[in-house]
Amino acid sequence: MLTDMYQLTMCYAYWKADRHNLNSNFELFFRKPPFGGEITVMAGLDQVLSFLHNFNFTPSDITYIKKLLPSASPSFFTYLSSLDCSSVTVSSIPQGSLVFPRIPLITISGPLGICQLLETTLLTLINYPSLVTTNAARFRIAAGDDKVLLEFGLRRAQGPDGGFSASKYCIIGGFDGTSNVIAGKLLGEDVKVKGTHAHAFVQSFKGLEEVVFEEGTGGEKIKKSTLKYRRELHWEDTHEGELAAFISYADAFPSQFLALIDTYDTLGSGLKNFILVALALDDAGFKPAGIRLDSGDLAYFSSEVRKAFTKLSNQFDRDFFHKLMIVASNDINENVLQELKKQEHAITAFGIGTNLVTCQKQPALGCVYKLVEIEDQPKIKISQDIAKVLIPGRKHSYRLFGGDSSPILDLLIRENEPPPKVGERFLCRHPFEEQKRVFVTPSRVEKLSSLVWDGKNGVVGGMPTISASKERVKSQIKIMRGDHLRYHNPTPYKVSVSDALFKFLHQLWLDSAPVLELS
């Protein structure tokens, strides 16, 4: 029922014309990579497989559809009641793969009626997951492999469903953890849940007299030690309410103490209060985690914080200061990460929310679902916009690798055409521009799609996991040429067709296009 009305009306019209059982083939793909880049990460396959497994119309669904189609034949609703995906087969590129325009992410085969009904749902299950996973992967590339990335976007996401999906697919895209508790509960150990405190916790304390401890917790000792260091360092002018909050939080989480230091005065109070409590925790046998910056000049503040940590480490001979995290948040996007790369900063982790989960640069990926064949007859869609001309017929896709083990291009060939072979020269052509063609002698040939759903047996090869999908993203980015990944003016990645498919496409195009008559 997660579908558009026109899928139901088309399905009824197919059924009425006795075309609903014709063997059909559809492809789901996109035409342009998102965010002005050249890469896209395929994601959402796990949701697709779950949907195929559970597809059916319940009695209450049928009752509602009868209201939408009051003039439909009663026999049509009997047909709907019997539908499942046992007659459908699906091939897909593995979740976590880098994918490119026009390459089918998913190929769906089966009776026309049921395959048509799958369109809207499969698109919504692939579009946003692939978009937000790609966004997360771009953030990871911008930040570098040595930074911790935490997704903090639940409160700004497009509803609870969007927030949950974002948390899951940002992890696949390369993030290390999320603030989203329900995501951690439902998704298991692959999703690490992280969080500290907000400004409200600091603001809620007025002075040291408000600090109270549960008997036997050691909190009184931490407070006493903190005040000793305050006198020793002559830092009595720091904000007492903030210090009280830090002592209280350290008492609650002595081995996970990470403090937000910019509620009042980042360097003049927040940093100093953190250091006092950190020294006291170390005396008590605990290792504090670090600080978080949520405003101001992040590059400058982080550098000053690191300098202070280094100075105190030498002054008090405390090695833990060198290991403290410096976490930055505050409306961070990909541009900020790129700019920080150019500056001197000491940030070790980023908490990123709004601009990550809402995909600030581009709100949708734009995957499409197109009919390419019926009863072994290839179908073409013609448009004056060349980008929208459909490459007809069932196809196989391959990735060809060069001598340096990086991908050269992706190739589409006709279903019954011999595939390219390692060490043999193969002619690769631009789908629409006749003069653009190259010979490629691949060092490795990788078939991109494989069977993932067989209607008779269900899921083939197991459900994609978060950890395996995340590792696939990482490994595929690692072997991709740097000029395809760069932020400014990335080199377009080639998607080609075989000579046979090129000729077939253009002949069918000529045969199908009307000849205009001028007078």
Side-chain angles (χ1 to χ4, degrees):
M1 292 293 280
L2 182 65
T3 190
D4 290 312
M5 181 64 185
Y6 86 105
Q7 309 294 2
L8 293 172
T9 55
M10 276 196 291
C11 187
Y12 180 63
Y14 286 143
W15 181 87
K16 190 83 168 157
D18 196 26
R19 298 181 63 79
H20 59 293
N21 284 324
L22 295 179
N23 186 47
S24 66
N25 292 280
F26 289 80
E27 292 176 350
L28 188 154
F29 60 94
F30 63 93
R31 299 187 179 105
K32 187 177 181 181
F35 312 121
E38 282 300 321
I39 64 166
T40 308
V41 181
M42 157 66 169
L45 178 59
D46 54 330
Q47 297 185 141
V48 167
L49 294 174
S50 179
F51 171 71
L52 295 173
H53 177 75
N54 292 290
F55 181 94
N56 74 297
F57 287 100
T58 67
S60 66
D61 294 337
I62 298 297
T63 298
Y64 180 69
I65 295 172
K66 286 179 179 179
K67 295 178 182 178
L68 299 178
L69 300 173
S71 61
S73 168
S75 298
F76 173 66
F77 300 110
T78 302
Y79 160 71
L80 285 185
S81 298
S82 67
L83 278 182
D84 57 26
C85 289
S86 60
S87 58
V88 175
T89 59
V90 177
S91 295
S92 175
I93 291 176
Q95 180 163 277
S97 299
L98 294 191
V99 289
F100 300 95
R102 296 192 172 277
I103 298 295
L105 308 185
I106 297 178
T107 301
I108 302 94
S109 305
L112 181 58
I114 178 66
C115 289
Q116 185 68 69
L117 284 172
L118 297 177
E119 175 182 0
T120 297
T121 314
L122 265 56
L123 285 171
T124 197
L125 294 178
I126 293 293
N127 263 315
Y128 178 69
S130 296
L131 184 74
V132 76
T133 305
T134 303
N135 205 28
R138 289 175 61 91
F139 277 65
R140 168 54 72 192
I141 292 168
D145 291 337
D146 61 328
K147 306 302 180 189
V148 174
L149 295 183
L150 305 171
E151 179 268 312
F152 286 175
L154 178 58
R155 66 186 62 194
R156 304 277 174 77
Q158 288 92 339
D161 48 350
F164 175 81
S165 294
S167 298
K168 176 181 180 179
Y169 292 108
C170 284
I171 297 294
I172 290 175
F175 273 59
D176 300 293
T178 177
S179 64
N180 190 341
V181 175
I182 191 65
K185 178 185 177 183
L186 296 179
L187 297 173
E189 293 183 0
D190 283 340
V191 175
K192 306 301 181 186
V193 179
K194 303 289 184 180
T196 56
H197 67 83
H199 292 110
F201 184 81
V202 177
Q203 293 171 282
S204 70
F205 288 84
K206 184 178 180 181
L208 291 168
E209 70 280 358
E210 296 177 341
V211 178
V212 295
F213 305 105
E214 184 180 353
E215 189 173 345
T217 62
E220 191 63 48
K221 182 178 179 181
I222 293 173
K223 178 181 178 182
K224 185 177 180 181
S225 183
T226 297
L227 296 180
K228 181 195 76 171
Y229 285 115
R230 195 185 195 204
R231 291 189 297 271
E232 183 178 335
L233 291 168
H234 304 292
W235 287 351
E236 287 89 349
D237 59 342
T238 61
H239 195 287
E240 279 206 0
E242 182 180 59
L243 183 58
F246 287 0
I247 294 170
S248 298
Y249 198 78
D251 179 51
F253 300 100
S255 59
Q256 304 170 44
F257 178 57
L258 196 149
L260 179 61
I261 66 170
D262 66 342
T263 304
Y264 301 112
D265 181 348
T266 301
L267 301 179
S269 180
L271 175 59
K272 291 179 179 179
N273 281 333
F274 167 79
I275 289 170
L276 296 175
V277 178
L279 287 167
L281 279 174
D282 187 51
D283 287 347
F286 300 102
K287 300 302 178 188
I291 61 97
R292 178 163 71 97
L293 299 166
D294 192 48
S295 61
D297 187 331
L298 298 178
Y300 170 74
F301 280 146
S302 67
S303 296
E304 291 300 305
V305 167
R306 184 59 71 195
K307 288 177 186 176
F309 288 167
T310 300
K311 179 181 178 181
L312 269 294
S313 176
N314 296 330
Q315 182 177 345
F316 288 94
D317 193 22
R318 306 291 180 96
D319 187 60
F320 78 86
F321 275 108
H322 295 297
K323 302 173 184 178
L324 291 173
M325 295 179 67
I326 299 177
V327 183
S329 46
N330 185 33
D331 211 26
I332 291 171
N333 59 23
E334 190 181 358
N335 294 338
V336 171
L337 292 176
Q338 292 288 347
E339 288 302 314
L340 282 170
K341 264 186 178 180
K342 303 173 186 178
Q343 304 174 45
E344 182 180 342
H345 74 83
I347 299 166
T348 58
F350 292 94
I352 307 174
T354 306
N355 300 316
L356 173 66
V357 304
T358 64
C359 298
Q360 176 193 31
K361 282 188 175 181
Q362 182 173 323
L365 176 57
C367 284
V368 294
Y369 184 96
K370 296 298 181 182
L371 177 67
V372 296
E373 191 172 280
I374 286 187
E375 293 291 323
D376 299 322
Q377 295 298 309
K379 298 296 178 179
I380 189 170
K381 176 188 177 295
I382 298 173
S383 172
Q384 290 188 349
D385 182 353
I386 298 297
K388 291 191 173 184
V389 174
L390 184 65
I391 300 176
R394 292 202 60 161
K395 299 173 281 293
H396 292 306
S397 57
Y398 294 87
R399 184 158 294 168
L400 308 188
F401 293 79
D404 62 354
S405 299
S406 64
I408 296 175
L409 55 77
D410 285 5
L411 176 72
L412 291 170
I413 68 172
R414 299 193 70 188
E415 182 182 24
N416 298 319
E417 188 178 348
K421 296 180 180 179
V422 172
E424 294 187 9
R425 194 169 70 156
F426 196 93
L427 179 60
C428 303
R429 307 192 65 168
H430 188 284
F432 306 113
E433 298 183 34
E434 191 170 14
Q435 76 279 11
K436 289 189 176 181
R437 50 191 179 167
V438 295
F439 281 110
V440 176
T441 304
S443 64
R444 180 160 73 93
V445 176
E446 178 183 316
K447 194 172 189 291
L448 293 178
S449 287
S450 60
L451 184 68
V452 295
W453 174 265
D454 176 353
K456 295 179 181 178
N457 301 305
V459 175
V460 177
M463 292 287 285
T465 64
I466 292 175
S467 58
S469 300
K470 180 177 183 176
E471 187 56 37
R472 188 172 187 86
V473 176
K474 184 178 179 180
S475 63
Q476 295 229 323
I477 288 175
K478 186 176 181 179
I479 64 172
M480 188 62 59
R481 271 186 11 219
D483 56 314
H484 296 309
L485 302 174
R486 68 191 177 202
Y487 184 65
H488 293 293
N489 301 316
T491 301
Y493 181 83
K494 291 182 177 64
V495 175
S496 302
V497 298
S498 66
D499 188 52
L501 181 52
F502 177 88
K503 292 174 180 176
F504 173 73
L505 161 64
H506 286 260
Q507 187 59 55
L508 186 59
W509 192 350
L510 286 173
D511 293 343
S512 303
V515 179
L516 300 179
E517 186 170 321
L518 303 177
S519 59

